[in-house]
Amino acid sequence: LERALEEGFEPHLAFWNTVVRACAKAGRTDYAAACLEKMEVAGIRPDESTFLGAIISLEDKGKSAEAEQWLQKMKAAGIKPSSMFYNAMLQRCQKAADPASASDWLGRMRSAGLQPQESSYSSFIQACARASQPDAAIEWFGKMQAARVQPSQASYSNVLESFVAPGRARDAVGWFNAMEEAGFAPDWRTYVSVVKAVAQAGEVDATSRWVEAMNDAGFGPDRVAYGALVDACANARRPADAVAWLKHMEEESLQPNVITYTSVIDACARAGQADAAAAWLCRMPEV
């Protein structure tokens, strides 16, 4: 930046915004603040994006107190956060699997007199899903409906995804059906979430049926779905089925990953099939 200024280059707003964000991301908020002063000297007024980039970078580094200071700087500059700002913060919470912060930002959005949109709620629900908090995801889906905000397919898919880690198979199937009843056609992500939730619950036969349903719907054969099925067989101590499905993956040209091979090896080992476990172990380097 200094070199550009020395050479007579006149940075435009987008350039300044990039520099401020880069400084904050590097943890040099002193440089970022200095950039704001240089912008003022240059007669360039910062906008919402100037502060937003810095705030998100600071939040990502766990520096919430400094992020709050930058929000106050933004307000002191006479810039009122818009829906775009709050939605960007919610998306940041989604990526960070941070529903607590998402709740805070959604509350701030409402306090500012702004109506959360479907994307606002969807980001919050996805944050709950990534944090494996299905009950919170369901609760906020309900709040979205109570606010008369029409759910999208993404909203349903986000709730459905929250059931994967805890293996809440019944809930996953129920939301799959609810999504269809609402007029949304299941997609690849929807089927994979159900398959993984059912597999996590240890319901091998049900997992197999959902994999077949996924294939019939035109979203398979799929490596992720078959991998979940192999893992379910292994966890249920059904090594023969785990091996059979892994071989089926190979026949379908679905290259198993290390996790899938490990599941089969573990299943064989627990069943006392040492030779089979060793044989599959030898095939792992080919992955």
Side-chain angles (χ1 to χ4, degrees):
L1 174 60
E2 294 294 340
R3 186 180 304 152
L5 294 175
E6 289 174 1
E7 293 178 357
F9 175 69
E10 297 184 1
H12 46 68
L13 179 59
F15 181 91
W16 283 104
N17 289 351
T18 300
V19 174
V20 170
R21 182 169 59 251
C23 291
K25 189 172 184 178
R28 296 307 304 263
T29 51
D30 52 341
Y31 285 0
C35 283
L36 288 181
E37 295 177 1
K38 291 179 184 296
M39 289 176 71
E40 184 177 353
V41 171
I44 297 178
R45 176 179 168 78
D47 64 2
E48 188 175 54
S49 296
T50 311
F51 293 93
L52 177 61
I55 292 170
I56 288 179
S57 294
L58 289 168
E59 287 282 8
D60 286 343
K61 294 180 74 66
K63 297 183 177 181
S64 298
E66 291 187 53
E68 183 63 31
Q69 292 173 5
W70 273 78
L71 177 59
Q72 296 310 315
K73 286 179 184 286
M74 176 177 164
K75 292 179 178 179
I79 302 173
K80 184 179 180 180
S82 68
S83 293
M84 183 275 290
F85 176 91
Y86 287 108
N87 283 327
M89 294 307 301
L90 286 166
Q91 288 172 8
R92 179 263 157 199
C93 296
Q94 168 192 326
K95 293 176 182 178
D98 187 0
S101 293
S103 178
D104 176 56
W105 283 108
L106 196 63
R108 293 188 187 208
M109 187 177 188
R110 286 171 163 169
S111 297
L114 299 173
Q115 174 63 43
Q117 305 157 335
E118 187 280 331
S119 59
S120 311
Y121 284 104
S122 188
S123 292
F124 192 171
I125 294 169
Q126 177 72 343
C128 295
R130 292 187 174 183
S132 298
Q133 297 181 10
D135 292 331
I138 294 171
E139 177 186 354
W140 280 97
F141 186 95
K143 289 183 177 181
M144 175 174 62
Q145 291 180 309
R148 298 184 178 180
V149 176
Q150 185 66 34
S152 68
Q153 179 166 346
S155 302
Y156 279 96
S157 295
N158 288 343
V159 175
L160 216 163
E161 189 175 305
S162 72
F163 302 127
V164 172
R168 288 172 54 167
R170 182 176 298 179
D171 287 326
V173 173
W175 276 85
F176 180 96
N177 294 333
M179 188 178 77
E180 284 192 310
E181 291 171 3
F184 297 109
D187 58 9
W188 175 87
R189 179 189 174 199
T190 311
Y191 275 104
V192 165
S193 292
V194 175
V195 168
K196 291 172 73 173
V198 176
Q200 184 70 12
E203 300 178 11
V204 177
D205 295 334
T207 304
S208 176
R209 290 193 295 271
W210 276 101
V211 169
E212 292 302 321
M214 184 175 177
N215 291 344
D216 292 342
F219 298 109
D222 179 78
R223 187 174 73 166
V224 175
Y226 277 105
L229 178 53
V230 171
D231 192 48
C233 292
N235 289 335
R237 302 203 175 191
R238 291 167 56 171
D241 290 333
V243 169
W245 282 111
L246 188 146
K247 289 182 177 179
H248 186 67
M249 287 181 70
E250 293 178 329
E251 292 169 1
E252 294 285 355
S253 298
L254 300 173
Q255 182 61 59
N257 58 24
V258 172
I259 296 174
T260 305
Y261 277 108
T262 300
S263 294
V264 171
I265 293 168
D266 183 57
C268 293
R270 286 190 295 178
Q273 300 173 9
D275 291 342
W280 284 106
L281 180 62
C282 291
R283 297 180 66 162
M284 282 185 63
E286 300 175 10
V287 179

